[in-house]
Amino acid sequence: MTIEFWYLIGAALVFFMQAGFAMVETGFTRAKNAGNIIMKNLMDFCIGTAVFMILGFGLMMSEDTLFGIIGIPNLDLFIHFAEFIKSPAEGFTYASKFVFNLVFCATAATIVSGSMAERTKFSAYCIYSAIISLIVYPIEAHWIWNESGWLASIGFHDYAGSTAIHMVGGISALIGAILLGPRLGKYVYDDNGKVIKVNAIPGHSIPLGALGAFILWFGWYGFNGAAATTPSELATIFLNTTIAPAIATVTTMIFTWVKNGKPDVSMCINACLAGLVGITAGCEALDALGATIVGIVSGILVVVVVELLDIKLHIDDPVGAVGVHMANGIWGTIAVGLLANPDAPAGLEGLFYTGKWYQLGVQCLGVIAVAAYTVALMLCCFLLIRKTIGLRVDRSEEIDGLDKTEHGLPSAYADFAPSTVAYADSLKGATVYGDVPPSKAVEVMDVTHLEKPANTKKSSSPKFTKVEIIFKEERLYALKDAMSKLGITGMTVSHVMGFGIQQGRTEMYRGVAIDSNLMPKVQVDIVVSKIPVRDVIDTAKSVLYTGHIGDGKIFVYDVENVVKVRTGEEGYDALQDVE
């Protein structure tokens, strides 16, 4: 197998990672923006291909430089692209290099999408995505990976892109999130503009996020391994690419479990990606112990940075792109200077193995130089966009969702959204797994007349009572069957959205308490006269109770009259479902 052939296989794996990024970002954001997220990830690659072909590839691969150590490639941009039109034997090498470098470039661009999700103009996104692929990534990648690049010449080591791709994408994501501002409702402010409360905005599909993480992990074997030239090097890369994310995920699970009382699912998804980013720079330079240390640090670092940005600095990053990519891109690059094993295929001299400081110094210099370059270009880019076409959508557009306002898409899921109704629900009640005692599980509001004797048909002025029950949709059929057995002959069912605060354990999402998240519920309205109201309430409570936050509420109202449209009957007779 030729090197070029293996490059192309690795490139295909890295390309598949675009699907992983799309799924993670879609799952960690709200359903009303799912189509917009998919569109941005699609255009990252397509726009990136166009600009990388025109300019970026030439910048990255040019052998000569201007201005000496600054390392900006000269303007003989099309020398490599021209090789594509030569004979297949001569053009194959350049074609494989183009595709191989293109998929890495697209990865750097797509990282930014997550931190600026749910409130960015699509036109603005297309522009800054193109800028990243046009001049930001190609030039710093030239410094690092081109033999004539100044960082490469002094021994800077970033095997697969902890700095060149992930730190650059993460820094761009941070700048974009700061200039864009938080999503509506993310933070609560006092009259002086000071944040007094942080609200959690959970993603709409954790399963999609998990699917994306598995896709990314799978593609990362190509991401890290595609440049391997020997079987031993490839084996080392695969080993470390397995150990670091696994250890990072276990570390985050334990860390969040201890910290919040429960292991955080979304943070564990972020953690496996953080471990992958952390090991990318030194995937062939570290041993198994080094990969383990990288994973442990990555697992803690991603949680600390995500919560620091959100809770302390009030920077809204919906998917944790900055914590995953910027923080761990920096850590992974520095880790090479600390943990590189001289006996590994790369043969680098890490401080902890040799006591030599040179490699660590070079790694730190490379991080600082690339970070400074990225900050300068992306800050100018974002400020220019904000001053011209604008970065952020209007308030009403953000509320309605970008699928509808930016793309004319009523819903990315159309009629294929999965139902949450459990048709085989049992009348025995759901498993009790919460901390709320049964007496407080379902609140009853405005019950002012239940101590009165039940009304009967013979009453001269029968009393009508409306019972309104709001609860979790999965208990609908259990409640319906229970009410039928009680003798209820009719009910009205509506889908509603709402939130409430109830006694019990506070739920957490990415380190932030969830106490006002809009959740889908079912509202059932029942009007009774013959059947005692207390029986209806007690039956509903027994069916709906789990002891967990969100079991529901029951409201009771007086009703003046009931009219059956078909027969014209009024009052007590209108409620009786008989001929």
Side-chain angles (χ1 to χ4, degrees):
M1 179 186 295
T2 64
I3 294 296
E4 289 80 8
F5 187 71
W6 172 237
Y7 275 176
L8 294 178
I9 294 175
L13 290 172
V14 177
F15 171 76
F16 188 48
M17 291 172 67
Q18 291 289 327
F21 281 114
M23 294 301 97
V24 170
E25 294 168 18
T26 301
F28 278 20
T29 52
R30 288 167 289 188
K32 65 182 180 179
N33 299 304
N36 176 258
I37 297 292
I38 297 299
M39 186 67 169
K40 289 194 294 185
N41 278 269
L42 176 63
M43 297 315 298
D44 273 327
F45 187 82
C46 296
I47 293 175
T49 298
V51 300
F52 194 69
M53 180 176 66
I54 294 170
L55 180 64
F57 182 60
L59 285 171
M60 181 177 177
M61 301 303 293
S62 179
E63 297 177 0
D64 298 322
T65 60
L66 295 175
F67 310 117
I69 196 170
I70 296 176
I72 300 177
N74 66 20
L75 300 181
D76 187 13
L77 304 177
F78 298 97
I79 183 172
H80 297 287
F81 183 70
E83 297 290 341
F84 294 172
I85 61 176
K86 290 185 176 181
S87 65
E90 295 179 358
F92 176 74
T93 298
Y94 293 103
S96 63
K97 286 183 178 179
F98 172 79
V99 174
F100 180 75
N101 285 285
L102 168 65
V103 293
F104 283 87
C105 178
T107 301
T110 202
I111 290 169
V112 188
S113 172
S115 70
M116 300 176 68
E118 304 200 276
R119 71 263 199 216
T120 304
K121 285 184 177 181
F122 182 69
S123 57
Y125 183 84
C126 291
I127 292 172
Y128 70 71
S129 178
I131 294 297
I132 293 173
S133 298
L134 189 70
I135 57 174
V136 177
Y137 170 80
I139 289 179
E140 53 88 7
H142 175 276
W143 295 351
I144 295 170
W145 288 326
N146 193 309
E147 291 182 359
S148 64
W150 71 275
L151 284 176
S153 67
I154 63 174
F156 179 77
H157 188 84
D158 183 14
Y159 188 79
S162 286
T163 288
I165 296 169
H166 297 284
M167 188 192 75
V168 168
I171 288 175
S172 302
L174 176 61
I175 296 171
I178 292 173
L179 295 180
L180 192 61
R183 291 168 290 175
L184 295 175
K186 176 61 181 172
Y187 303 112
V188 179
Y189 303 85
D190 62 15
D191 294 337
N192 298 318
K194 181 181 179 181
V195 175
I196 57 176
K197 188 175 185 298
V198 179
N199 289 323
I201 304 180
H204 83 283
S205 179
I206 293 299
L208 270 184
L211 174 62
F214 281 116
I215 291 173
L216 286 169
W217 195 337
F218 172 73
W220 225 288
Y221 289 110
F223 194 91
N224 285 352
T229 57
T230 65
S232 64
E233 185 179 50
L234 185 61
T236 299
I237 291 170
F238 269 55
L239 177 68
N240 290 336
T241 305
T242 302
I243 291 175
I247 296 300
T249 307
V250 173
T251 301
T252 295
M253 180 190 71
I254 296 172
F255 185 50
T256 57
W257 205 335
V258 172
K259 180 176 176 292
N260 300 328
K262 292 181 180 178
D264 191 310
V265 179
S266 69
M267 287 305 308
C268 286
I269 292 173
N270 276 152
C272 77
L273 303 180
L276 288 164
V277 172
I279 199 62
T280 294
C283 55
E284 70 359 321
L286 275 61
D287 54 24
L289 176 60
T292 301
I293 296 172
V294 167
I296 292 172
V297 175
S298 293
I300 296 174
L301 185 61
V302 68
V303 178
V304 171
V305 173
V306 166
E307 294 188 2
L308 174 66
L309 291 176
D310 190 12
I311 301 172
K312 299 298 183 182
L313 301 180
H314 307 131
I315 298 171
D316 186 14
D317 178 4
V319 306
V322 178
V324 170
H325 298 281
M326 187 193 80
N328 283 281
I330 294 172
W331 155 238
T333 306
I334 294 174
V336 174
L338 297 171
L339 301 168
N341 187 338
D343 294 330
L348 301 179
E349 297 178 333
L351 175 66
F352 292 164
Y353 282 90
T354 66
K356 297 180 180 180
W357 290 84
Y358 180 79
Q359 190 65 49
L360 178 60
V362 170
Q363 297 300 109
C364 292
L365 175 62
V367 166
I368 293 171
V370 174
Y373 173 75
T374 304
V375 169
L377 260 66
M378 292 310 299
L379 186 60
C380 292
C381 173
F382 283 126
L383 288 174
L384 183 61
I385 293 173
R386 192 169 70 172
K387 289 292 185 181
T388 52
I389 66 172
L391 270 176
R392 185 163 184 154
V393 298
D394 294 338
R395 181 184 182 90
S396 60
E397 294 176 325
E398 184 176 344
I399 293 172
D400 290 342
L402 302 189
D403 286 4
K404 179 180 179 181
T405 59
E406 288 281 274
H407 307 287
L409 184 67
S411 170
Y413 292 100
D415 293 329
F416 298 97
S419 173
T420 58
V421 176
Y423 290 96
D425 229 341
S426 170
L427 292 178
K428 296 180 180 179
T431 303
V432 176
Y433 55 93
D435 300 320
V436 184
S439 62
K440 296 182 179 180
V442 182
E443 294 187 38
V444 181
M445 302 294 197
D446 286 340
V447 182
T448 60
H449 55 278
L450 297 184
E451 59 279 352
K452 298 180 181 180
N455 296 306
T456 65
K457 186 175 182 179
K458 295 180 180 180
S459 172
S460 58
S461 57
K463 186 171 184 59
F464 310 110
T465 304
K466 176 185 175 182
V467 181
E468 181 182 283
I469 312 169
I470 300 175
F471 57 97
K472 297 175 181 177
E473 187 175 5
E474 61 262 25
R475 302 304 298 161
L476 173 60
Y477 283 84
L479 180 70
K480 179 182 74 69
D481 292 342
M483 289 299 165
S484 296
K485 289 188 176 182
L486 188 61
I488 299 298
T489 57
M491 62 174 63
T492 301
V493 180
S494 305
H495 285 83
V496 296
M497 297 288 290
F499 71 86
I501 300 175
Q502 191 177 58
Q503 293 180 358
R505 180 183 295 274
T506 300
E507 301 296 339
M508 305 291 290
Y509 179 75
R510 304 173 76 77
V512 178
I514 303 175
D515 58 9
S516 61
N517 185 43
L518 283 174
M519 298 295 292
K521 299 280 186 179
V522 168
Q523 177 178 315
V524 168
D525 296 315
I526 303 170
V527 177
V528 296
S529 178
K530 178 179 179 180
I531 299 172
V533 177
R534 175 53 67 184
D535 290 352
V536 175
I537 292 171
D538 289 344
T539 300
K541 289 181 71 173
S542 67
V543 171
L544 301 178
Y545 172 67
T546 67
H548 197 67
I549 290 175
D551 277 347
K553 287 183 172 65
I554 300 173
F555 300 86
V556 180
Y557 309 89
D558 289 331
V559 177
E560 290 187 3
N561 196 9
V562 181
V563 179
K564 182 182 289 187
V565 175
R566 180 173 61 85
T567 63
E569 295 173 298
E570 297 190 18
Y572 180 88
D573 291 337
L575 284 178
Q576 311 312 308
D577 191 19
V578 294
E579 294 297 335

